[in-house]
Amino acid sequence: VKYRTAGEVPEYDPESAYPTNLEGSNEEIVYRRLRENGIADTAAKAILANIITESDRFKAQEEYAPNKYGTKGYGIAQWTDTKYSNRRKMFNDYMQEKDLDPELLENQVDYLVYEINNHPENMPIGEKMSIETLNSIDNLEEATDYFMKGFEAPKDQSKRHLRKRLKAYEDS
């Protein structure tokens, strides 16, 4: 597989804000890429449930409105700079350092796994989310909740919002 670098122009699916070099739907690409990066089946589905929601079903590369810190999240995980972390800056720095196109879906998935493995300080839960723990959860609802709280940390972490994420996955 040849990957585009930052200097090449990606092709856009008119239904998606996320260009890619790979075949398949956004959901298929994310799932397959996560599995290639050592993410277990249930964990990959849980991450996908969160990504679908965070990216507004792959329609938004950037959040529609600024958060309480005045910044906007970017990409499938809506990486955001806050007073507690510089996740968007770290994402951009990584893409620039590796000469990767930050818009490409597969590059974002690879970075998501890299961030979990290499920057636990960015994870919002006290125990620091880990791939090992996520991979050990066999229940999709529990894994989705763990990723939602441990990686995404949305303002609304209620059961209702968790069900919304699961429904988005089921509908994809």
Side-chain angles (χ1 to χ4, degrees):
V1 177
K2 178 188 180 292
Y3 298 102
R4 255 187 206 95
T5 61
E8 297 179 74
V9 179
E11 296 177 19
Y12 284 87
D13 172 348
E15 299 296 314
S16 173
Y18 296 85
T20 182
N21 285 320
L22 305 176
E23 296 292 324
S25 69
N26 289 329
E27 293 84 357
E28 291 167 338
I29 291 166
V30 169
Y31 176 81
R32 198 170 51 241
R33 197 75 175 182
L34 288 168
R35 297 288 286 142
E36 289 168 0
N37 275 290
I39 307 299
D41 176 65
T42 301
K45 291 173 182 174
I47 292 171
L48 187 54
N50 280 278
I51 286 172
I52 291 168
T53 302
E54 291 292 326
S55 68
D56 190 16
R57 297 188 177 277
F58 298 99
K59 292 183 279 187
Q61 262 297 3
E62 187 171 63
E63 281 182 298
Y64 299 123
N67 60 28
K68 67 182 179 182
Y69 304 104
T71 62
K72 292 181 180 181
Y74 182 83
I76 58 173
Q78 297 298 294
W79 287 283
T80 307
D81 289 339
T82 69
K83 69 179 185 177
Y84 304 107
S85 72
N86 294 313
R87 290 176 83 180
R88 183 168 179 168
K89 181 183 182 319
M90 290 175 75
F91 169 82
N92 288 332
D93 289 350
Y94 177 89
M95 292 295 165
Q96 186 174 21
E97 179 184 304
K98 303 283 186 189
D99 195 28
L100 297 171
D101 184 340
E103 291 185 353
L104 283 179
L105 183 58
E106 54 270 24
N107 292 345
Q108 292 188 27
V109 174
D110 292 349
Y111 179 77
L112 183 148
V113 175
Y114 167 83
E115 183 184 29
I116 294 169
N117 284 324
N118 295 284
H119 292 286
E121 72 277 9
N122 288 350
M123 304 308 123
I125 58 175
E127 68 189 47
K128 305 299 181 198
M129 196 189 91
S130 73
I131 292 289
E132 293 79 19
T133 301
L134 181 61
N135 277 344
S136 73
I137 302 171
D138 291 328
N139 178 284
L140 181 58
E141 182 174 338
E142 290 174 21
T144 303
D145 188 56
Y146 180 76
F147 190 82
M148 177 182 75
K149 291 175 180 173
F151 186 88
E152 296 294 353
K155 183 169 46 174
D156 183 355
Q157 296 185 13
S158 67
K159 283 287 188 191
R160 182 190 58 77
H161 191 67
L162 173 61
R163 284 191 298 275
K164 175 184 169 187
R165 288 172 184 253
L166 289 165
K167 176 95 170 84
Y169 170 75
E170 290 167 7
D171 291 346
S172 66

